[in-house]
Amino acid sequence: MKRLGWGMIGGGEGSQIGPAHRLGARADGRFDFVAGALDHRAEIGRDYAVRLGIAPDRAYGSWQDMLAGERGREDRVDLVTVATPNATHYEITKAFLEAGFNVLCEKPMTMTVEEGEAIVEIAARSGKICAVNYCYSAYPMVRQARAMVRAGELGKIRLVVTNFSHGHHGDATDADNPRVRWRYDPAQAGISGQFADCGIHALHMASFIADDQVESLSADFASTISSRQLEDDAMVNFRMEGGTVGRLWTSSVAIGRQHGFDIQVFGETGGLRWTSEQPNQLIYTPVGGRTQIIEKGEGGLHEDAQRLSRVAIAHPEGFPLAVANIYCDLADAISGKTRDGLPLAQDGVRSMAAVHAAVASARENGAWKDARPSIFR
């Protein structure tokens, strides 16, 4: 199998997400890390890229340099990952798509709905893939849950309850820490704090497993630490196009919770529960029956769950391998094999539309708002 060339923008030394991408992209031998513009400080970025094994002539000082350098090469990269601050995602993704590169963009894909819709259209015109790193959807047991819903094993889905809540920003005395403060500053984070940061992972997961799209929502936002301009806690009620009711809580001040991402799906004939802190297990209860634990790696799983289970049963699989599953699906897609579990630009713009709808709803005391981007209404 031919290895694909991969390049990264952002994710430099000390980055939280950079190592997960570098581990994930190379986990299966499908990609070679051959180009990068890893830091907004040109020399620091070039130095780090070389230390990671990138050739000096492909260790770029800026994303603009990388675009100019790669577009003229016969061995140009097959995929570019954008892992820069949120406000830069649109400009960089747009430029590389228009130049004929496949792109994996960190979430949120854009800052506005209009930008998101533009990315969907540009990707369609270019014929290139624009994926968004909703990597939690690539855990094997999440794929198992989705397959069970699609197979009708829960009957019609009535209710989805999900949350992504942690307490790591709950210390008011640490509110001025630059690594924390930017998330609640509109100039850097945009119009939403916690919901745009973590809540959209939970909302995407609800749509992914339920195999349905959010139609409308009602939101209540709170800034529990008074110095914050953007919310650090949010409760969102939503309704899906197929009639499913949804409840979502997201918080960064829930002291005592660590990662805190879980989802419950309730249908006419059964219910499922998955939590990111025990990602190898899916809890299933058929109506009138006993609760069962479905284990990653065991026999009888749906094909997508089997395909993405990487190590033997009872051995844990973690976050970098979920990211690796995204890259695995991307490699297949670039090679012409459809993977409908791969989150794409359409998912990115739906998330941004939901963020803007939630902000508008919260400002109007929970008024219900259409959560769909105009291109999908």
Side-chain angles (χ1 to χ4, degrees), residues 117-363:
E117 291 178 333
I119 291 296
V120 171
E121 293 168 358
I122 292 165
R125 286 200 306 269
S126 71
K128 294 299 177 180
I129 296 164
C130 181
V132 183
N133 192 33
Y134 287 116
C135 56
Y136 299 101
S137 66
Y139 276 98
M141 300 317 291
V142 171
R143 296 293 179 94
Q144 172 72 11
R146 186 188 200 214
M148 290 176 70
V149 169
R150 285 183 160 186
E153 295 175 45
L154 275 69
K156 179 177 172 55
I157 302 305
R158 294 168 170 164
L159 174 66
V160 177
V161 180
T162 185
N163 85 87
F164 196 157
S165 52
H166 65 84
H168 299 299
H169 301 163
D171 184 356
T173 65
D174 195 42
D176 285 332
N177 181 335
R179 293 175 65 88
V180 174
R181 188 179 61 231
W182 76 267
R183 299 175 185 275
Y184 307 98
D185 178 1
Q188 299 181 73
I191 64 169
S192 171
Q194 179 62 15
F195 184 64
D197 187 25
C198 294
I200 58 173
H201 272 300
L203 197 68
H204 174 264
M205 185 74 85
S207 292
F208 186 82
I209 293 179
D211 202 24
D212 201 356
Q213 298 297 336
V214 175
E215 182 174 61
S216 59
L217 59 76
S218 168
D220 179 38
F221 284 6
S223 298
T224 66
I225 293 179
S226 60
S227 62
R228 292 174 176 166
Q229 298 181 63
L230 299 175
E231 84 286 351
D232 53 22
D233 187 276
M235 184 69 74
V236 179
N237 293 314
F238 59 92
R239 294 183 181 272
M240 299 180 126
E241 293 174 347
T244 298
V245 175
R247 316 293 187 203
L248 184 155
W249 172 49
T250 185
S251 181
S252 63
V253 294
I255 295 172
R257 293 184 68 95
Q258 296 303 318
H259 194 259
F261 184 14
D262 63 53
I263 185 166
Q264 298 176 86
V265 181
F266 304 103
E268 293 174 330
T269 60
L272 295 172
R273 181 176 184 268
W274 179 84
T275 174
S276 66
E277 293 178 5
Q278 287 89 35
N280 290 349
Q281 297 181 334
L282 183 64
I283 311 302
Y284 170 52
T285 307
V287 63
R290 292 181 176 179
T291 295
Q292 307 169 28
I293 299 176
I294 303 174
E295 291 277 357
K296 185 271 307 169
E298 69 183 17
L301 299 180
H302 285 273
E303 187 275 333
D304 223 21
Q306 292 176 338
R307 179 177 65 87
L308 297 178
S309 295
R310 296 167 171 278
V311 293
I313 189 170
H315 293 278
E317 295 190 31
F319 181 79
L321 289 184
V323 176
N325 286 338
I326 292 289
Y327 279 96
C328 188
D329 280 354
L330 268 166
D332 284 346
I334 292 169
S335 302
K337 186 171 186 177
T338 301
R339 292 296 186 194
D340 73 352
L342 181 64
L344 297 173
Q346 292 88 336
D347 300 287
V349 72
R350 285 186 184 276
S351 293
M352 190 46 54
V355 168
H356 281 261
V359 170
S361 172
R363 288 173 177 168

